[in-house]
Amino acid sequence: MNITLQTPTFHEGDLEQPINHDIRMFRKSLDIIETYHDPFLPNDIEVPSHVQVWHGYPERLGYPEKPYENNRFTDEEDMTPYDDYSPHKARTIAVQMARATNAEWLKEEVSMEFHRQERQPYEDIGTLVGTLRKGNVDPDLKEKIEPALKILGSSVDLLSIEGERQAIFRFEYHGLIKNKFGMSCWTQTLIRDCGVECDNVIFETGFRKRDPLYDGGFPWYGMC
């Protein structure tokens, strides 16, 4: 709160003003520091009564200069001129570029190779979990859980029913990633309400790990 907006203890020209000032100066000069207990802090913490009013940190006018030698992929003429921007604009553009193109100093092939290596163990083993491949679906079980599928609508597609007990359901999930865990738990409840045993529900999203249309991610691996 701005202290100038508060009602002053003494109005301008009050006779008690100089006397009160002398008393405050004398009390501040004592060796014993007057303290009080803040109700929002633990009882064993004593807060000094006479402290300077804090108006916040001074506004930062610039960032310290740093070398750009770590940037090995972007040509010098293509570099973003962050030094010519204000701190706020420089940080805003840096965040936008980091979220939009996954860092300007990385080539597209880097992301592609990363996702290829991440997928390789599934390709070597040939497992369905972790992929969008369709597997075996028991028609009778699918018919039993049809009420749950109608409620879920176009947000999921049934991929397969796994396990010895046929109680693990795999779906391709098209909704928001932030709702993925909650939707899978709800789907498990819907399947059980249909009278079908359900040990687990797996929502497959492929390479999609974020919501690029909402957080500015790179759409290549964000929407596949």
PDB file of all heavy atoms in Angstrom, residues 152 173 176-190 201 203:
ATOM      1  N   LEU A 152     -18.800 -40.947 -23.967  1.00  0.00           N
ATOM      2  CA  LEU A 152     -17.493 -40.389 -24.319  1.00  0.00           C
ATOM      3  C   LEU A 152     -17.501 -39.749 -25.699  1.00  0.00           C
ATOM      4  O   LEU A 152     -16.730 -38.809 -25.948  1.00  0.00           O
ATOM      5  CB  LEU A 152     -16.428 -41.488 -24.251  1.00  0.00           C
ATOM      6  CG  LEU A 152     -16.181 -42.066 -22.858  1.00  0.00           C
ATOM      7  CD1 LEU A 152     -15.283 -43.291 -22.939  1.00  0.00           C
ATOM      8  CD2 LEU A 152     -15.569 -41.022 -21.941  1.00  0.00           C
ATOM      9  N   TYR A 173      -7.070 -41.129 -27.453  1.00  0.00           N
ATOM     10  CA  TYR A 173      -7.680 -39.984 -26.785  1.00  0.00           C
ATOM     11  C   TYR A 173      -7.470 -38.731 -27.624  1.00  0.00           C
ATOM     12  O   TYR A 173      -6.354 -38.406 -28.020  1.00  0.00           O
ATOM     13  CB  TYR A 173      -7.062 -39.826 -25.390  1.00  0.00           C
ATOM     14  CG  TYR A 173      -7.540 -38.626 -24.621  1.00  0.00           C
ATOM     15  CD1 TYR A 173      -8.869 -38.495 -24.250  1.00  0.00           C
ATOM     16  CD2 TYR A 173      -6.652 -37.611 -24.264  1.00  0.00           C
ATOM     17  CE1 TYR A 173      -9.309 -37.394 -23.540  1.00  0.00           C
ATOM     18  CE2 TYR A 173      -7.079 -36.508 -23.551  1.00  0.00           C
ATOM     19  CZ  TYR A 173      -8.406 -36.409 -23.193  1.00  0.00           C
ATOM     20  OH  TYR A 173      -8.841 -35.307 -22.490  1.00  0.00           O
ATOM     21  N   LEU A 176      -8.132 -32.772 -24.480  1.00  0.00           N
ATOM     22  CA  LEU A 176      -7.003 -32.004 -23.972  1.00  0.00           C
ATOM     23  C   LEU A 176      -6.120 -32.868 -23.088  1.00  0.00           C
ATOM     24  O   LEU A 176      -6.614 -33.678 -22.297  1.00  0.00           O
ATOM     25  CB  LEU A 176      -7.488 -30.787 -23.183  1.00  0.00           C
ATOM     26  CG  LEU A 176      -8.242 -29.705 -23.968  1.00  0.00           C
ATOM     27  CD1 LEU A 176      -8.705 -28.597 -23.036  1.00  0.00           C
ATOM     28  CD2 LEU A 176      -7.379 -29.140 -25.065  1.00  0.00           C
ATOM     29  N   ILE A 177      -4.803 -32.664 -23.221  1.00  0.00           N
ATOM     30  CA  ILE A 177      -3.866 -33.454 -22.425  1.00  0.00           C
ATOM     31  C   ILE A 177      -4.045 -33.172 -20.940  1.00  0.00           C
ATOM     32  O   ILE A 177      -3.887 -34.064 -20.102  1.00  0.00           O
ATOM     33  CB  ILE A 177      -2.423 -33.152 -22.865  1.00  0.00           C
ATOM     34  CG1 ILE A 177      -2.200 -33.630 -24.311  1.00  0.00           C
ATOM     35  CG2 ILE A 177      -1.414 -33.823 -21.945  1.00  0.00           C
ATOM     36  CD1 ILE A 177      -2.344 -35.108 -24.505  1.00  0.00           C
ATOM     37  N   LYS A 178      -4.377 -31.945 -20.592  1.00  0.00           N
ATOM     38  CA  LYS A 178      -4.530 -31.607 -19.173  1.00  0.00           C
ATOM     39  C   LYS A 178      -5.685 -32.380 -18.523  1.00  0.00           C
ATOM     40  O   LYS A 178      -5.731 -32.520 -17.303  1.00  0.00           O
ATOM     41  CB  LYS A 178      -4.738 -30.101 -19.001  1.00  0.00           C
ATOM     42  CG  LYS A 178      -6.036 -29.576 -19.582  1.00  0.00           C
ATOM     43  CD  LYS A 178      -6.185 -28.085 -19.329  1.00  0.00           C
ATOM     44  CE  LYS A 178      -7.513 -27.556 -19.850  1.00  0.00           C
ATOM     45  NZ  LYS A 178      -7.668 -26.113 -19.568  1.00  0.00           N
ATOM     46  N   ASN A 179      -6.622 -32.886 -19.330  1.00  0.00           N
ATOM     47  CA  ASN A 179      -7.750 -33.657 -18.798  1.00  0.00           C
ATOM     48  C   ASN A 179      -7.577 -35.161 -18.981  1.00  0.00           C
ATOM     49  O   ASN A 179      -8.492 -35.919 -18.685  1.00  0.00           O
ATOM     50  CB  ASN A 179      -9.045 -33.217 -19.491  1.00  0.00           C
ATOM     51  CG  ASN A 179      -9.348 -31.749 -19.285  1.00  0.00           C
ATOM     52  OD1 ASN A 179      -8.988 -31.176 -18.259  1.00  0.00           O
ATOM     53  ND2 ASN A 179      -9.998 -31.133 -20.252  1.00  0.00           N
ATOM     54  N   LYS A 180      -6.412 -35.579 -19.468  1.00  0.00           N
ATOM     55  CA  LYS A 180      -6.227 -36.983 -19.850  1.00  0.00           C
ATOM     56  C   LYS A 180      -6.382 -37.925 -18.654  1.00  0.00           C
ATOM     57  O   LYS A 180      -7.118 -38.917 -18.735  1.00  0.00           O
ATOM     58  CB  LYS A 180      -4.844 -37.151 -20.476  1.00  0.00           C
ATOM     59  CG  LYS A 180      -4.507 -38.577 -20.864  1.00  0.00           C
ATOM     60  CD  LYS A 180      -3.097 -38.664 -21.441  1.00  0.00           C
ATOM     61  CE  LYS A 180      -2.685 -40.087 -21.717  1.00  0.00           C
ATOM     62  NZ  LYS A 180      -1.292 -40.182 -22.189  1.00  0.00           N
ATOM     63  N   PHE A 181      -5.719 -37.641 -17.545  1.00  0.00           N
ATOM     64  CA  PHE A 181      -5.772 -38.550 -16.392  1.00  0.00           C
ATOM     65  C   PHE A 181      -7.183 -38.616 -15.818  1.00  0.00           C
ATOM     66  O   PHE A 181      -7.706 -39.706 -15.530  1.00  0.00           O
ATOM     67  CB  PHE A 181      -4.782 -38.099 -15.323  1.00  0.00           C
ATOM     68  CG  PHE A 181      -4.795 -38.957 -14.088  1.00  0.00           C
ATOM     69  CD1 PHE A 181      -4.241 -40.215 -14.089  1.00  0.00           C
ATOM     70  CD2 PHE A 181      -5.394 -38.504 -12.922  1.00  0.00           C
ATOM     71  CE1 PHE A 181      -4.260 -41.008 -12.952  1.00  0.00           C
ATOM     72  CE2 PHE A 181      -5.419 -39.281 -11.784  1.00  0.00           C
ATOM     73  CZ  PHE A 181      -4.859 -40.539 -11.797  1.00  0.00           C
ATOM     74  N   GLY A 182      -7.816 -37.470 -15.662  1.00  0.00           N
ATOM     75  CA  GLY A 182      -9.174 -37.468 -15.115  1.00  0.00           C
ATOM     76  C   GLY A 182     -10.156 -38.178 -16.014  1.00  0.00           C
ATOM     77  O   GLY A 182     -11.045 -38.907 -15.539  1.00  0.00           O
ATOM     78  N   MET A 183     -10.002 -38.010 -17.330  1.00  0.00           N
ATOM     79  CA  MET A 183     -10.897 -38.690 -18.267  1.00  0.00           C
ATOM     80  C   MET A 183     -10.705 -40.200 -18.234  1.00  0.00           C
ATOM     81  O   MET A 183     -11.669 -40.968 -18.342  1.00  0.00           O
ATOM     82  CB  MET A 183     -10.645 -38.160 -19.681  1.00  0.00           C
ATOM     83  CG  MET A 183     -11.203 -36.776 -19.938  1.00  0.00           C
ATOM     84  SD  MET A 183     -12.994 -36.766 -20.078  1.00  0.00           S
ATOM     85  CE  MET A 183     -13.231 -37.635 -21.620  1.00  0.00           C
ATOM     86  N   SER A 184      -9.449 -40.653 -18.086  1.00  0.00           N
ATOM     87  CA  SER A 184      -9.214 -42.099 -18.027  1.00  0.00           C
ATOM     88  C   SER A 184      -9.844 -42.708 -16.776  1.00  0.00           C
ATOM     89  O   SER A 184     -10.408 -43.810 -16.832  1.00  0.00           O
ATOM     90  CB  SER A 184      -7.706 -42.376 -18.059  1.00  0.00           C
ATOM     91  OG  SER A 184      -7.064 -41.832 -16.922  1.00  0.00           O
ATOM     92  N   CYS A 185      -9.747 -42.007 -15.644  1.00  0.00           N
ATOM     93  CA  CYS A 185     -10.380 -42.511 -14.411  1.00  0.00           C
ATOM     94  C   CYS A 185     -11.902 -42.549 -14.554  1.00  0.00           C
ATOM     95  O   CYS A 185     -12.559 -43.498 -14.115  1.00  0.00           O
ATOM     96  CB  CYS A 185      -9.989 -41.628 -13.230  1.00  0.00           C
ATOM     97  SG  CYS A 185      -8.225 -41.655 -12.826  1.00  0.00           S
ATOM     98  N   TRP A 186     -12.449 -41.505 -15.185  1.00  0.00           N
ATOM     99  CA  TRP A 186     -13.899 -41.466 -15.386  1.00  0.00           C
ATOM    100  C   TRP A 186     -14.348 -42.573 -16.332  1.00  0.00           C
ATOM    101  O   TRP A 186     -15.386 -43.209 -16.121  1.00  0.00           O
ATOM    102  CB  TRP A 186     -14.297 -40.094 -15.923  1.00  0.00           C
ATOM    103  CG  TRP A 186     -15.774 -39.901 -16.088  1.00  0.00           C
ATOM    104  CD1 TRP A 186     -16.754 -40.211 -15.184  1.00  0.00           C
ATOM    105  CD2 TRP A 186     -16.443 -39.368 -17.230  1.00  0.00           C
ATOM    106  NE1 TRP A 186     -17.997 -39.888 -15.681  1.00  0.00           N
ATOM    107  CE2 TRP A 186     -17.839 -39.367 -16.936  1.00  0.00           C
ATOM    108  CE3 TRP A 186     -16.012 -38.877 -18.456  1.00  0.00           C
ATOM    109  CZ2 TRP A 186     -18.788 -38.901 -17.845  1.00  0.00           C
ATOM    110  CZ3 TRP A 186     -16.961 -38.395 -19.359  1.00  0.00           C
ATOM    111  CH2 TRP A 186     -18.336 -38.417 -19.053  1.00  0.00           C
ATOM    112  N   THR A 187     -13.561 -42.825 -17.375  1.00  0.00           N
ATOM    113  CA  THR A 187     -13.889 -43.895 -18.319  1.00  0.00           C
ATOM    114  C   THR A 187     -13.901 -45.255 -17.633  1.00  0.00           C
ATOM    115  O   THR A 187     -14.754 -46.105 -17.908  1.00  0.00           O
ATOM    116  CB  THR A 187     -12.876 -43.899 -19.481  1.00  0.00           C
ATOM    117  OG1 THR A 187     -12.881 -42.622 -20.109  1.00  0.00           O
ATOM    118  CG2 THR A 187     -13.221 -44.966 -20.499  1.00  0.00           C
ATOM    119  N   GLN A 188     -12.942 -45.452 -16.718  1.00  0.00           N
ATOM    120  CA  GLN A 188     -12.904 -46.709 -15.978  1.00  0.00           C
ATOM    121  C   GLN A 188     -14.188 -46.883 -15.158  1.00  0.00           C
ATOM    122  O   GLN A 188     -14.757 -47.980 -15.102  1.00  0.00           O
ATOM    123  CB  GLN A 188     -11.683 -46.730 -15.061  1.00  0.00           C
ATOM    124  CG  GLN A 188     -11.409 -48.070 -14.401  1.00  0.00           C
ATOM    125  CD  GLN A 188     -10.064 -48.083 -13.697  1.00  0.00           C
ATOM    126  OE1 GLN A 188      -9.324 -47.126 -13.753  1.00  0.00           O
ATOM    127  NE2 GLN A 188      -9.762 -49.174 -13.035  1.00  0.00           N
ATOM    128  N   THR A 189     -14.668 -45.800 -14.560  1.00  0.00           N
ATOM    129  CA  THR A 189     -15.915 -45.868 -13.793  1.00  0.00           C
ATOM    130  C   THR A 189     -17.110 -46.150 -14.700  1.00  0.00           C
ATOM    131  O   THR A 189     -18.000 -46.945 -14.354  1.00  0.00           O
ATOM    132  CB  THR A 189     -16.133 -44.543 -13.041  1.00  0.00           C
ATOM    133  OG1 THR A 189     -15.025 -44.298 -12.180  1.00  0.00           O
ATOM    134  CG2 THR A 189     -17.401 -44.601 -12.199  1.00  0.00           C
ATOM    135  N   LEU A 190     -17.128 -45.511 -15.875  1.00  0.00           N
ATOM    136  CA  LEU A 190     -18.243 -45.746 -16.807  1.00  0.00           C
ATOM    137  C   LEU A 190     -18.292 -47.194 -17.269  1.00  0.00           C
ATOM    138  O   LEU A 190     -19.383 -47.778 -17.385  1.00  0.00           O
ATOM    139  CB  LEU A 190     -18.092 -44.812 -18.018  1.00  0.00           C
ATOM    140  CG  LEU A 190     -18.287 -43.322 -17.785  1.00  0.00           C
ATOM    141  CD1 LEU A 190     -18.017 -42.554 -19.070  1.00  0.00           C
ATOM    142  CD2 LEU A 190     -19.693 -43.031 -17.284  1.00  0.00           C
ATOM    143  N   VAL A 201      -7.556 -48.413 -17.694  1.00  0.00           N
ATOM    144  CA  VAL A 201      -7.879 -47.742 -18.953  1.00  0.00           C
ATOM    145  C   VAL A 201      -6.637 -46.996 -19.413  1.00  0.00           C
ATOM    146  O   VAL A 201      -6.064 -46.205 -18.659  1.00  0.00           O
ATOM    147  CB  VAL A 201      -9.070 -46.780 -18.792  1.00  0.00           C
ATOM    148  CG1 VAL A 201      -9.213 -45.900 -20.032  1.00  0.00           C
ATOM    149  CG2 VAL A 201     -10.351 -47.545 -18.545  1.00  0.00           C
ATOM    150  N   PHE A 203      -5.100 -44.409 -22.156  1.00  0.00           N
ATOM    151  CA  PHE A 203      -5.385 -43.429 -23.193  1.00  0.00           C
ATOM    152  C   PHE A 203      -4.115 -43.196 -23.996  1.00  0.00           C
ATOM    153  O   PHE A 203      -3.113 -42.712 -23.471  1.00  0.00           O
ATOM    154  CB  PHE A 203      -5.864 -42.117 -22.574  1.00  0.00           C
ATOM    155  CG  PHE A 203      -7.338 -42.077 -22.292  1.00  0.00           C
ATOM    156  CD1 PHE A 203      -8.131 -43.177 -22.553  1.00  0.00           C
ATOM    157  CD2 PHE A 203      -7.944 -40.941 -21.788  1.00  0.00           C
ATOM    158  CE1 PHE A 203      -9.491 -43.163 -22.312  1.00  0.00           C
ATOM    159  CE2 PHE A 203      -9.300 -40.906 -21.544  1.00  0.00           C
ATOM    160  CZ  PHE A 203     -10.086 -42.025 -21.800  1.00  0.00           C
TER     161      PHE A 203
END
